[in-house]
Each structure stands twice: as structure tokens, then as C-alpha cells.
């Protein structure tokens, strides 16, 4: 998923929306971000104990180009997300 796609899809969502990553029915909070390479065109989700918000994500990626690719912690491309019953974003 490109950063520009995520921006378009979440434009009207609250910046306080929490971010999670799901793998095989297990859900983990996205805590921070890391660059996957020296070009800064690929950003990896880093998992932890407290979820970052949509606003924090966009704030940290403000200077990144719109074609920046979002990657799962296993370095696989993220193809989409859904909202759970608490309106949290769950990336897959």
C-alpha cells in the first residue's frame, strides 16, 4: 500500500484512530515506524505494546514522498486494511 492510498482512504477518519497489524488471527499494536532501506521509500511497521494513532503515523511520514510503500513487520507489502468493531484500523 502506498502512503498516498492510505491518505486517500482515511481522509475523513479521526486522527485518534488506533493502528494494528493482523497476522493469522493475532492482532498486534503498531507502535512506531522504521525505514526498510536507505532510500526511505519503504516504511516498516514496528510492533509493540501501545498502538500509535493515524495522526502520529501521518505526522512521522509528513516529509515522505507519496509513493512511499508501507510494509508489514515481516517486510511483506500491506495490501489493505479494515475497521474492527471499535473503529480501529487493522492492516493485513
Amino acid at each position: 500500500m502506498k502512503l498516498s492510498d492510505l491518505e486517500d482512504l482515511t481522509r475523513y477518519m479521526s486522527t485518534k484512530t488506533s493502528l494494528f497489524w493482523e497476522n493469522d488471527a493475532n492482532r498486534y499494536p503498531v507502535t512506531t515506524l522504521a525505514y526498510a532501506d536507505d532510500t526511505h521509500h519503504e516504511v516498516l511497521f514496528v510492533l509493540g505494546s501501545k498502538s500509535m494513532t493515524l495522526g502520529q503515523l501521518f505526522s512521522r511520514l509528513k516529509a515522505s514522498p507519496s509513493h512511499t510503500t508501507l510494509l508489514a513487520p515481516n517486510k511483506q507489502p500491506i495490501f489493505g486494511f479494515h475497521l474492527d468493531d471499535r473503529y480501529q484500523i487493522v492492516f493485513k
Side-chain angles (χ1 to χ4, degrees):
M1 174 177 276
K2 301 288 184 200
L3 179 58
S4 59
D5 297 331
L6 182 63
E7 289 172 335
D8 290 343
L9 292 168
T10 60
R11 179 170 311 199
Y12 299 107
M13 293 182 69
S14 169
T15 56
K16 296 178 183 178
T17 303
S18 296
L19 307 177
F20 292 85
W21 180 70
E22 188 173 79
N23 183 27
D24 298 330
N26 294 313
R27 191 172 292 178
Y28 306 96
V30 175
T31 302
T32 191
L33 306 169
Y35 289 109
D37 61 13
D38 291 336
T39 65
H40 294 194
H41 291 245
E42 295 181 330
V43 174
L44 254 152
F45 286 161
V46 178
L47 307 178
S49 59
K50 186 173 189 287
S51 176
M52 71 187 305
T53 65
L54 189 60
Q56 290 171 322
L57 176 102
F58 287 136
S59 177
R60 292 179 187 169
L61 295 176
K62 186 174 13 177
S64 297
S66 61
H67 63 274
T68 298
T69 302
L70 302 176
L71 300 175
N74 59 5
K75 296 188 179 181
Q76 296 300 311
I78 291 174
F79 293 108
F81 67 89
H82 70 272
L83 297 178
D84 67 8
D85 56 349
R86 296 174 56 196
Y87 297 101
Q88 301 173 123
I89 293 176
V90 181
F91 292 99
K92 290 194 130 200

